[in-house]
Amino acid sequence: MGEIVLSDVRKSFGGVSIIQGIDLTIKDGEFVVFVGPSGCGKSTLLRLIAGLEDTTDGIIAIDGRDATRLPPARRGLAMVFQSYALYPHMSVRKNIAFPLRMAGMPAAEQDRKVEAAAKVLNLTPYLDRRPSQLSGGQRQRVAIGRAIVREPSAFLFDEPLSNLDAALRVSMRQEISELHQSLKTTMIYVTHDQVEAMTMADKIVVLNAGRIEQVGSPLELYKTPANLFVAGFIGSPKMNFIEGAEAAKHGAHTLGVRPEHIAIAADGPWKGVVGISEHLGSDTFLKVQVDGMGPLTVRAGGEVELHYGDAVSLAAQPGKLHRFDAAGHTLSA
Ligand SMILES: Nc1ncnc2c1ncn2[C@@H]1O[C@H](COP(=O)(O)OP(=O)(O)OP(=O)(O)O)[C@@H](O)[C@H]1O
Ligand SMILES: [Mg+2]
């Protein structure tokens, strides 16, 4: 069990409205990512679900029961934070067992649960170490272990990987995805990193200034963003936005085209000059200054030989243009 339904959930701090009416259904077993820029209300929304903040208005239902006024301990959810807050003087085993010990569980049962969680998280060899003797990734796994042993109906993660270096973030995000595959428990994961959202989520909730901009699968948001905000937030490098005459020609206020949907084509209609290029091996990202349009980011092949100042012609792939009106809403094709 782990269905969470939010109905017109609102939160104000000192009269300032921060969460502005959220309606959202999270299905049992789903991996849902809240993504959005800093300050948009991701953590606040997660804390409302956890019960760590009081809801100003609206209803939070967990597994069909109104949980809006329940204290955190009675919601059956487990939260994992960015700072893992492990007890430095306790072994890994004791850290993971902590919530069970607090609940007065018999020692043998505690041991069994801790060992099962350690196995899932590849922590078995480290059970007798102190947190100071672990790497950052291992410490984060201990924090997750402490959540697992509680057998929550949902896990709530608030930017759990942001203290880790880039390579470790990639491997931990795969571990969390695998954990979700094996536990099949609802997970809500907060991040400002759209790559984490795209790679981990069944369903992404894009938040902006306390409101939902769009909810959908990673590919739905990528292929059919509802507005300029989502179009610019999802996808890396960012979608190019073009205004003026070229957009007007397509009946739009703003035209959007992703770097991967622009081809270098001898007979392409957009003529420009190559500026900086970023060679990643797998891809090359070119900044091309296009006549009458401004700079466009273009994804070219990894081994393309183009240099600063070279003249190129570009063409957008058919059917890959996004059109937006003056208010930033997507216009239908
Ligand atoms: N206890 C509080 N009192 C007053 N304002 C608060 C409180 N907590 C959060 N806020 C405000 O609410 C807004 C949303 O904060 P929140 O922490 O939810 O953002 P976030 O999306 O998690 O951002 P980040 O990506 O930086 O973590 C911010 O403007 C913040 O200043
Ligand atoms: Mg936050």
Side-chain angles (χ1 to χ4, degrees):
M1 294 288 273
E3 185 199 58
I4 299 169
V5 180
L6 310 186
S7 308
D8 199 23
V9 167
R10 292 166 188 273
K11 175 67 180 175
S12 302
F13 288 109
V16 181
S17 174
I18 297 294
I19 297 294
Q20 318 233 24
I22 300 284
D23 290 298
L24 180 68
T25 297
I26 295 166
K27 292 191 219 138
D28 180 31
E30 228 171 9
F31 196 122
V32 174
V33 175
F34 294 170
V35 70
S38 182
C40 71
K42 306 177 294 290
S43 296
T44 303
L45 189 57
L46 199 70
R47 292 169 61 78
L48 290 172
I49 295 170
L52 299 172
E53 300 282 357
D54 292 333
T55 304
T56 306
D57 210 349
I59 295 170
I60 298 172
I62 301 173
D63 291 327
R65 281 197 319 153
D66 185 348
T68 319
R69 304 282 159 221
L70 280 186
R74 293 192 45 214
R75 296 190 184 202
L77 311 174
M79 190 137 169
V80 180
F81 299 92
Q82 171 183 349
S83 57
Y84 353 101
L86 302 178
Y87 297 102
H89 59 287
M90 288 184 196
S91 66
V92 168
R93 183 187 301 277
K94 288 220 158 106
N95 265 286
I96 297 178
F98 188 77
L100 307 179
R101 202 157 63 246
M102 288 295 105
M105 183 180 280
E109 203 178 337
Q110 283 183 34
D111 279 345
R112 196 173 51 71
K113 292 204 190 233
V114 169
E115 273 156 32
K119 199 164 161 214
V120 174
L121 294 164
N122 294 318
L123 283 173
T124 308
Y126 310 106
L127 279 173
D128 295 315
R129 289 202 194 172
R130 298 278 171 91
S132 61
Q133 299 167 307
L134 300 177
S135 72
Q138 289 162 345
R139 285 179 213 177
Q140 190 51 277
R141 295 212 294 270
V142 175
I144 295 171
R146 200 165 50 186
I148 289 179
V149 292
R150 295 175 50 199
E151 298 174 359
S153 58
F155 291 88
L156 312 181
F157 293 96
D158 192 354
E159 307 243 14
L161 309 185
S162 48
N163 281 347
L164 307 179
D165 69 45
L168 199 48
R169 274 211 302 275
V170 172
S171 70
M172 275 303 292
R173 105 183 163 216
Q174 291 169 356
E175 284 182 29
I176 292 176
S177 292
E178 277 168 21
L179 186 67
H180 179 248
Q181 289 301 330
S182 62
L183 298 177
K184 307 226 186 296
T185 305
T186 307
M187 293 188 177
I188 308 179
Y189 187 101
V190 163
T191 179
H192 61 270
D193 178 351
Q194 65 88 27
V195 175
E196 272 180 23
M198 289 295 281
T199 52
M200 300 174 87
D202 295 320
K203 183 153 97 188
I204 298 178
V205 179
V206 181
L207 292 167
N208 182 26
R211 288 199 172 83
I212 293 180
E213 293 278 353
Q214 193 172 2
V215 178
S217 71
L219 283 181
E220 276 164 6
L221 298 193
Y222 175 83
K223 289 205 260 190
T224 53
N227 52 47
L228 267 181
F229 183 86
V230 176
F233 198 80
I234 298 288
S236 174
K238 256 169 75 83
M239 185 185 281
N240 295 290
F241 294 126
I242 303 155
E243 293 186 355
E246 183 67 31
K249 210 162 85 188
H250 294 268
H253 180 269
T254 307
L255 202 60
V257 57
R258 297 192 184 279
E260 55 272 38
H261 295 148
I262 302 176
I264 296 169
D267 56 352
W270 298 340
K271 312 290 180 198
V273 176
V274 175
I276 56 163
S277 40
E278 296 178 327
H279 293 276
L280 301 182
S282 54
D283 302 295
T284 305
F285 293 107
L286 306 170
K287 269 274 189 261
V288 179
Q289 190 68 34
V290 178
D291 300 345
M293 272 168 55
L296 294 186
T297 305
V298 177
R299 189 183 84 182
E303 292 170 30
V304 68
E305 291 283 352
L306 280 169
H307 300 101
Y308 198 94
D310 286 350
V312 286
S313 298
L314 306 174
Q317 286 175 21
K320 298 291 191 187
L321 290 176
H322 297 260
R323 301 183 317 129
F324 306 93
D325 66 16
H329 301 300
T330 298
L331 293 162
S332 55

